[in-house]
Amino acid sequence: FSFAVLEAFRRMGIIEIQSWSAGASKTLVLVTLFYLANVGSALTALRLTSVPVYNVLKRMVPLPVMVTDWVLRSQRFSYGIQASVLTIVLGALVTGSGDLDLNIAGYGFAILSCGLQALYLVYAAKAHDVGYLSHGIMYYTSLMSIPILVILALGFEYQGLLAFPHWNQAGFLFCLVSAFGVGSLLNYALFLCCTLNSALTTVIVGQLKGMLSTILGFFLFGKVNITTVGVLGIALNSAGGVAYAWTKHMEKLAQSE
């Protein structure tokens, strides 16, 4: 869906897609592979854990992003930023200790998803470093994702797709296309934020969504069994996100003076 929309915009002259570069091909391929692997591991983790716990575990991702950005792009971070990121991770660990429905496999897939998300965001930033804009990165990653997703669908979901009874229902098709559209907008916003700001800022901004979905998850889903310690961990995790935003704001003010 994303590729079709971007290709239509390219043909209409609305956007310009940078030509495929041999030098950037490895980076774009890695963005695609890490992104697809992240989606798979995240969905598996969400199936095995509760929504609030999953969201908090995913909020550990700033630490691997910070480390990966330092290793792959030689980025440096202030002590205030490092302290806020460590607070976020500490909150996630405290939450885990208060989760009475601890699922080792679910936690493992969530942590794996954190690492994979860090890799694809940092490699997206590397693609921007060599001249690709956000829509160019999305264009090529969407294009390369198509054959992989087709193979996976035919290999693992073929019978289920054929047997699905709602393909001819307008309501389902409307929801399906809407989901495609919202997902494409989300991915574009993610790549845009990553190229305009940084991979670390992108995941921290995502914490705002995580805070809301964590709170809603307690009330909307019944699969939650967490202690007071777990609630304190969620609060600590959220405080780290607020501290990061405040530190970045103060650093921007200091740079402008």
Side-chain angles (χ1 to χ4, degrees):
F1 184 87
S2 300
F3 172 75
V5 172
L6 291 172
E7 177 64 13
F9 285 170
R10 185 187 70 84
R11 291 179 179 272
M12 290 186 292
I14 298 176
I15 61 174
E16 181 179 350
I17 303 295
Q18 297 85 348
S19 300
W20 178 266
S21 168
S25 59
K26 177 182 177 181
T27 299
L28 292 171
V29 169
L30 289 175
V31 173
T32 304
L33 294 178
F34 288 136
Y35 174 77
L36 293 175
N38 170 63
V39 171
S41 59
L43 291 176
T44 303
L46 185 58
R47 179 173 58 84
L48 296 174
T49 62
S50 66
V51 172
V53 171
Y54 167 79
N55 278 313
V56 173
L57 290 172
K58 281 291 291 182
R59 290 171 71 182
M60 293 176 63
V61 74
L63 180 59
V65 166
M66 187 170 64
V67 173
T68 305
D69 220 2
W70 172 65
V71 172
L72 296 179
R73 300 177 64 232
S74 301
Q75 297 295 302
R76 296 292 186 269
F77 303 95
S78 67
Y79 289 117
I81 294 297
Q82 295 178 38
S84 61
V85 168
L86 291 176
T87 302
I88 291 172
V89 174
L90 178 61
L93 294 176
V94 172
T95 300
S97 68
D99 181 13
L100 297 181
D101 293 324
L102 176 63
N103 186 302
I104 299 299
Y107 273 51
F109 277 107
I111 293 172
L112 176 62
S113 177
C114 290
L116 292 169
Q117 184 177 2
L119 286 167
Y120 91 75
L121 286 175
V122 172
Y123 272 105
K126 283 177 65 69
H128 181 257
D129 292 341
V130 296
Y132 283 88
L133 300 179
S134 54
H135 52 265
I137 299 172
M138 188 172 177
Y139 177 88
Y140 287 114
T141 54
S142 299
L143 176 61
M144 288 184 287
S145 297
I146 293 173
I148 299 175
L149 293 175
V150 169
I151 292 173
L152 291 175
L154 294 178
F156 298 97
E157 302 288 344
Y158 180 70
Q159 294 298 329
L161 290 173
L162 290 180
F164 190 71
H166 304 298
W167 286 115
N168 59 347
Q169 296 183 6
F172 166 75
L173 295 176
F174 173 79
C175 292
L176 182 64
V177 174
S178 298
F180 287 158
V182 172
S184 296
L185 287 174
L186 175 62
N187 285 334
Y188 177 72
L190 187 149
F191 285 128
L192 182 63
C193 183
C194 189
T195 55
L196 293 180
N197 298 288
S198 68
L200 183 58
T201 297
T202 299
V203 296
I204 296 293
V205 170
Q207 308 305 314
L208 299 175
K209 179 270 298 178
M211 290 172 62
L212 178 61
S213 57
T214 295
I215 295 172
L216 291 176
F218 280 117
F219 299 99
L220 299 180
F221 299 94
K223 186 189 172 184
V224 181
N225 188 16
I226 196 167
T227 66
T228 303
V229 174
V231 175
L232 292 175
I234 292 175
L236 183 62
N237 187 271
S238 302
V242 173
Y244 176 88
W246 175 256
T247 302
K248 289 293 290 185
H249 175 66
M250 297 305 294
E251 289 180 356
K252 289 291 184 182
L253 290 179
Q255 292 174 0
S256 62
E257 294 178 353

